[in-house]
Amino acid sequence: MNTKIRKTVTVGLIQTVVSEDMDANLKKAVAKIEEAAKKGAQIICLQELYNTRYFPQEEQQDAKKYAETIPGKSTNAFSELAKKYKIIIIVPLFEQASNGKFYNSAVVIDTNGKLLETYHKIHVPQDPMFYEQNYFELGDLGYKVYNTAYAKIAVLICYDQWFPEAARICTLQGADILFYPTAIGYIKDHTSADGDWHGAWQTVQRGHAIVNGVHVVAVNRVGQEGELEFWGGSFVCDAFGNILAEAGNKEETLIAPVDLSFNKRIRDGWGFLKNRRPDTYKPLTEKQP
C-alpha cells in the first residue's frame, strides 16, 4: 500500500511598522515572535532591517548608529526565544562585521539558540529612494541553505527576489522553502509608467516557486517612512505559486502550515529540474557588453 508522505511545517511571517526607537522595535519583534510561537509557528521570519527605519532612501547619511554586530543585542535576545520555544528564527539586520565593513544581513537561529552562518545580501540596488550601495557592501559569503530541524531553508533578501539565478541556486543546493525578508513600497506622489510594482513583486516570486518546485515566503514591512509607503502584502505560496496566506497593508502576523511533499509532486510532474540543460547556460556567467 502506497502512503503519501507529508511533511507539514508551520511558518510565521511578521510584518510591522518600524519606529526610530531601535529598542522598541526589538521589544515589539520579541513579543510578535512569542505570539507566533504560541500559535504553532516553527520557522519565523522578520522583515528586512527589522529594527531600523529604511535609512537607504536617503542618499547620504551617517547610518553607523543603526548597525550592530553578530552576535549582538538582537541575536542574544532571539537566541533565548529560539531555545525557549524550540523554533527557527530568521533575523535580518544591518551588520557591522568584524572586518569593519557593513552588510545587509540575515541571521538564522537554530532551535537550540545557536547562530548558523550569516547571509550577506548579494544583489544590492542603487536607485532613487533605494540607495543601498551607499551603505551596504555587496554580499561576499555566497548562497546559504540551512538544514534545520523542520526544513531545508534558504534566506535571500529583498532585491535578491528579482533574480531567478539566486532562487535556482538555492533550490539546487536543497532548499525546500525560500524566505525573502523585504522592505519595498511605493514612492510618494510617483506613478510608474512600468505598471503595478506590487503585482510584479508578487508575480516574480510566485514564478520562482513554480519553476523550482519550492515554497516561497515573502515578509515585507508596512507604514509610511519619509517618501516611501511600504505596502506589506507578506505572503506564502506553494510550489505551484498558489497563495496559501497573504497579509494586508497593516501590522500583521501570518501563521501558515505548508506541505513540503507538494514540492516533489511539482518537480516530478513538470520536470523543471531534471530537464535542465546546464551545458547551454554558459552565457549566464559571461560579462555582458
Side-chain angles (χ1 to χ4, degrees), residues 167-168 171 178 180 202-216 235 237-243 262-273:
R168 176 53 55 87
T171 299
L178 305 180
Y180 289 104
Q202 187 183 93
T203 298
V204 74
Q205 293 176 91
R206 292 173 68 188
H208 297 330
I210 296 167
V211 300
N212 291 296
V214 294
H215 282 71
V216 164
F235 71 93
C237 73
D238 69 18
F240 206 59
N242 299 302
I243 300 293
F262 192 61
N263 292 7
K264 186 176 188 302
R265 173 178 168 180
I266 297 303
R267 292 177 185 181
D268 290 350
W270 290 83
F272 296 137
L273 297 184

Side-chain angles (χ1 to χ4, degrees), residues 245-263:
E246 184 177 5
N249 62 354
K250 305 294 183 183
E251 285 197 342
E252 193 168 344
T253 299
L254 287 183
I255 308 294
V258 299
D259 177 9
L260 299 182
S261 71
F262 192 61
N263 292 7

Side-chain angles (χ1 to χ4, degrees), residues 154-175:
V155 181
L156 299 164
I157 301 175
C158 199
Y159 195 52
D160 288 328
Q161 64 209 181
W162 298 94
F163 294 85
E165 298 87 352
R168 176 53 55 87
I169 289 169
C170 290
T171 299
L172 294 176
Q173 290 179 347

Side-chain angles (χ1 to χ4, degrees), residues 78-87 109-114:
F78 295 128
S79 290
E80 290 302 314
L81 279 184
K83 284 190 292 185
K84 179 178 179 180
Y85 292 102
K86 300 294 186 288
I87 55 177
I109 304 177
D110 210 344
T111 54
N112 59 4
K114 179 182 178 182

Side-chain angles (χ1 to χ4, degrees), residues 7-12 36-45 82 85-90 109-111 148-151 179 255-258:
K7 185 178 181 182
T8 301
V9 177
T10 302
V11 296
K38 290 175 182 177
K39 290 181 178 179
Q42 297 165 303
I43 307 175
I44 300 173
C45 186
Y85 292 102
K86 300 294 186 288
I87 55 177
I88 306 295
I89 305 175
I90 299 168
I109 304 177
D110 210 344
T111 54
T148 76
Y150 302 119
F179 284 86
I255 308 294
V258 299

